[in-house]
Amino acid sequence: MFSRSVCRAILGLLVIGSISLGLSLNGQQQESGLTQPPKPSPPKSKETASDSGAPFVTGERLSFNVSWANFVTAARLQLEVAEQGAFFEQEGYQLKTRLETIGYVRSLFVELDNQYTSYVDAKTMLPYRLVNLTQQGLKREESTVVLDQQQRIARYDDGKEITLPPSTYDLPSLLYTLRLRELKQGATHKFSALYEKETVEVEAQIKQRERVITQAGTYNAVRVDFSAKSKKRNLSQFRVRAWFSDDAQRLPVLITAQLPFGEVRVELANAMIVSQPKAGIALSPNPVAKSPLIASKDNLPAGAFEAASKSRAPLEYENHLPFAVGERLNYDISWLNLPSIGKVSFEVRQQGYLGTRRVFELVAEAATVGAARAVFDLNDQFICYADVESLMPVKTSLRLREGERTKQAMADFDWHAKVAKLDDGTKVLLQPNTRDLVSLFYALRAADLKIGSSFTYYFLTANHHTRRLLIRVAQQETITGPMGQRETTRLDIFSQQPQQLLAQAWISNDTRRLPIYVAVRLPVGELRAQLTGVTNLK
């Protein structure tokens, strides 16, 4: 590792420790257990929104067509009550909102794909945590906001805090809260709403009943007119109206907004209840059973990577993999008692060729956030070009930036000579089934995880040192977290000389094999990675 001081070690191990599962550790481990992920809470007698006859249920998904100016299909909006359970040690709902531009608007004006996740109290519908993933063109940002409704503070992951008025909503939870209210003509409801990094006062006036025609059908609806006030900006020019179906569901069937850049019309196109599939052990063939020799002549310089056509049909063995091109997994990193010190993501970025070998480009990125970044700014990236059939590494590169210090390195894997050739001329001897930190992550997902089975891997750390690992498939467990309640398989990860527990990982028991939660033992304390968001699942 680069770090020499304790502070640098803690934050440097955020990446080199968490992504590589702390596998470069040795005799400094203790035999005490690691922190387990949250388990499902026993049934409680307290009333939740669904218990009291709420107009929505878990699994409800509403799809909207968004038109703007002369563009009939400018964007799509989707609202979903994704889960209900214990999230971040609090009973609540997980509400998901996705907005993406389509058609001519996407190609001519802005390529937008934003995903917002709101965790709201099951009884009050007040949000307590927001996770926002926004993408505009090539720019991608992720942010987390923790709302302490009792202390009336919103904490952002960049370290900023703002004071909240009593009972502050975000925009999605405000919409669902209105569905719970009695929409009596002439009534007025006042709310405080969090928008970006300020709060606005929102007033909803209940107007008359009207007949509304949408793509999803014709509805008798209640019109609600909104007005907003802000101390920082003039919002008088924003005129928003919404129509809710005049029935038990109170569906938002139509929303219109007069904005400075034109009128926007959000029209319900489809409403459905999506039942959650029962989790089961995936019995697909094991694609990592084969380990063909990869000739060094196929390993061309990094610039020689050629992306494959996205239109081609997937190869047979690709259909057995639990992931596909475009998948991105986002993790929140905590250390000791400090939550959210960093973010880690894994992405199957694209597929293409290195020479004649077809490979996946697998990318892992990590960075400190918030107060941790103020102490030490860390931003690292690991790239692995892995053989599509075997998931064995063909070429790897890493870029580590820790404060003002940087390190870059590349390695070509010559399986015929059983060496990894570094760009500085160094050669590292390879044992059979040697992985780098990124290909190991995906190989474990693709393995046949039968209870009681075990695997032996050799692992090449970020410093290109080889470590031997024993991974045992321990047992099935039900856990909860930001992704809701999940049936998982627990993996226990040991060093072999001497045999000590290094880490534990919980992998979902479905065909996607998502690593939900990972706990790692480090010399400077325990580090945990928890899955908070996924995009473009297979």
Side-chain angles (χ1 to χ4, degrees):
M1 304 297 175
F2 292 154
S3 43
R4 297 182 180 181
S5 68
V6 173
C7 176
R8 289 173 65 87
I10 292 172
L11 298 175
L13 285 169
L14 164 66
V15 179
I16 310 301
S18 67
I19 299 182
S20 65
L21 303 177
L23 304 178
S24 61
L25 303 183
N26 45 40
Q28 302 181 64
Q29 278 74 27
Q30 301 175 359
E31 292 302 321
S32 58
L34 295 166
T35 300
Q36 304 291 292
K39 299 299 191 295
S41 303
K44 296 185 178 181
S45 60
K46 72 175 184 178
E47 184 184 69
T48 65
S50 59
D51 298 327
S52 59
F56 52 83
V57 296
T58 303
E60 178 194 84
R61 181 181 296 170
L62 306 179
S63 299
F64 299 83
N65 180 60
V66 181
S67 59
W68 165 62
N70 294 323
F71 297 95
V72 178
T73 54
R76 289 195 182 97
L77 173 68
Q78 182 173 284
L79 304 176
E80 181 181 2
V81 185
E83 296 280 355
Q84 181 182 2
F87 307 101
F88 302 99
E89 301 181 355
Q90 185 170 342
E91 292 291 332
Y93 289 99
Q94 183 190 57
L95 307 179
K96 291 186 176 181
T97 305
R98 182 174 184 178
L99 175 65
E100 60 176 338
T101 51
I102 58 177
Y104 288 111
V105 171
R106 186 178 185 88
S107 59
L108 296 178
F109 296 97
V110 58
E111 183 179 345
L112 191 72
D113 190 354
N114 294 347
Q115 300 183 56
Y116 310 96
T117 303
S118 306
Y119 299 93
V120 303
D121 185 90
K123 188 174 182 180
T124 65
M125 295 302 292
L126 290 171
Y128 56 86
R129 192 179 187 95
L130 311 175
V131 179
N132 302 324
L133 179 62
T134 61
Q135 180 173 343
Q136 183 172 339
L138 298 177
K139 184 179 180 181
R140 185 197 299 260
E141 294 182 352
E142 182 180 359
S143 63
T144 300
V145 187
V146 177
L147 290 81
D148 188 332
Q149 298 282 357
Q150 291 185 343
Q151 299 294 325
R152 293 168 55 184
I153 294 176
R155 299 182 177 92
Y156 294 81
D157 54 11
D158 63 359
K160 183 176 181 179
E161 295 183 355
I162 67 171
T163 302
L164 299 176
S167 302
T168 299
Y169 298 86
D170 70 327
L171 297 183
S173 63
L174 176 58
L175 187 66
Y176 284 95
T177 296
L178 271 174
R179 295 177 64 185
L180 292 169
R181 299 294 178 93
E182 182 181 0
L183 302 180
K184 185 177 180 180
Q185 184 173 346
T188 298
H189 300 282
K190 295 183 178 182
F191 306 92
S192 294
L194 185 65
Y195 178 71
E196 294 181 347
K197 292 186 177 181
E198 66 169 306
T199 57
V200 297
E201 299 302 315
V202 178
E203 183 175 280
Q205 296 181 340
I206 315 303
K207 299 296 185 179
Q208 67 272 13
R209 266 63 179 167
E210 297 178 356
R211 190 79 166 169
V212 174
I213 301 175
T214 72
Q215 296 179 18
T218 303
Y219 295 88
N220 292 321
V222 181
R223 196 185 92 196
V224 180
D225 291 357
F226 294 90
S227 59
K229 295 181 180 179
S230 169
K231 296 180 180 179
K232 296 184 178 181
R233 66 184 81 182
N234 181 13
L235 300 179
S236 60
Q237 57 185 332
F238 294 88
R239 298 191 300 276
V240 180
R241 288 180 175 178
W243 285 261
F244 294 86
S245 62
D246 192 12
D247 54 23
Q249 289 183 290
R250 300 195 190 101
L251 296 173
V253 296
L254 178 64
I255 301 172
T256 62
Q258 295 290 339
L259 304 176
F261 50 83
E263 182 183 54
V264 175
R265 180 183 175 92
V266 182
E267 183 178 325
L268 182 65
N270 187 33
M272 61 186 299
I273 303 297
V274 182
S275 59
Q276 300 298 323
K278 294 182 179 180
I281 296 292
L283 299 177
S284 58
N286 179 11
V288 300
K290 302 178 181 179
S291 298
L293 294 179
I294 301 176
S296 60
K297 66 180 180 180
D298 291 338
N299 297 347
L300 303 182
F305 177 78
E306 179 182 357
S309 171
K310 296 182 180 179
S311 62
R312 66 165 187 84
L315 301 176
E316 181 180 355
Y317 45 78
E318 291 178 62
N319 291 327
H320 300 317
L321 295 174
F323 52 84
V325 172
E327 180 199 82
R328 180 182 173 91
L329 308 181
N330 300 307
Y331 291 85
D332 184 81
I333 304 300
S334 58
W335 171 71
L336 296 178
N337 295 324
L338 300 177
S340 299
I341 68 166
K343 302 290 184 183
V344 171
S345 68
F346 288 87
E347 181 178 6
V348 185
R349 182 162 292 177
Q350 58 183 329
Q351 185 183 138
Y353 289 91
L354 279 176
T356 60
R357 185 157 309 274
R358 185 181 290 275
V359 296
F360 286 118
E361 183 183 21
L362 308 174
V363 181
E365 297 177 312
T368 48
V369 297
R373 177 179 291 177
V375 176
F376 188 70
D377 189 8
L378 179 147
N379 191 338
D380 293 353
Q381 182 186 71
F382 300 80
I383 299 177
C384 173
Y385 296 101
D387 181 83
V388 168
E389 185 172 2
S390 67
L391 298 182
M392 297 295 291
V394 176
K395 178 186 286 289
T396 64
S397 69
L398 61 85
R399 185 211 65 209
L400 309 180
R401 181 173 65 81
E402 303 178 1
E404 297 180 354
R405 192 165 185 173
T406 62
K407 175 181 178 180
Q408 294 186 1
M410 297 182 62
D412 287 296
F413 287 71
D414 184 344
W415 290 101
H416 181 74
K418 297 182 180 180
V419 294
K421 301 176 182 178
L422 307 186
D423 53 355
D424 63 1
T426 304
K427 294 184 179 180
V428 180
L429 293 178
L430 296 176
Q431 299 293 333
N433 206 22
T434 298
R435 308 279 176 167
D436 72 315
L437 59 92
V438 184
S439 61
L440 178 63
F441 178 88
Y442 288 96
L444 285 177
R445 292 178 61 186
D448 189 5
L449 302 179
K450 294 181 179 179
I451 303 301
S453 61
S454 61
F455 305 87
T456 297
Y457 286 97
Y458 287 90
F459 170 75
L460 202 61
T461 70
N463 288 327
H464 300 102
H465 297 154
T466 303
R467 299 290 182 265
R468 190 180 183 190
L469 305 174
L470 174 64
I471 301 177
R472 294 176 179 169
V473 185
Q475 64 186 42
Q476 296 185 36
E477 295 182 4
T478 303
I479 67 173
T480 64
M483 302 302 296
Q485 182 171 310
R486 290 288 187 271
E487 299 296 325
T488 65
T489 297
R490 193 189 82 211
L491 306 183
D492 294 341
I493 303 172
F494 298 87
S495 62
Q496 288 200 324
Q497 294 179 352
Q499 187 174 113
Q500 294 177 318
L501 181 65
L502 299 179
Q504 292 179 308
W506 283 257
I507 313 295
S508 67
N509 280 350
D510 52 30
T511 57
R512 295 163 179 168
R513 297 286 180 80
L514 298 174
I516 304 294
Y517 178 92
V518 179
V520 184
R521 177 176 289 125
L522 304 175
V524 292
E526 183 184 89
L527 184 144
R528 299 169 297 280
Q530 189 166 54
L531 184 65
T532 59
V534 298
T535 57
N536 299 324
L537 285 178
K538 183 175 181 180

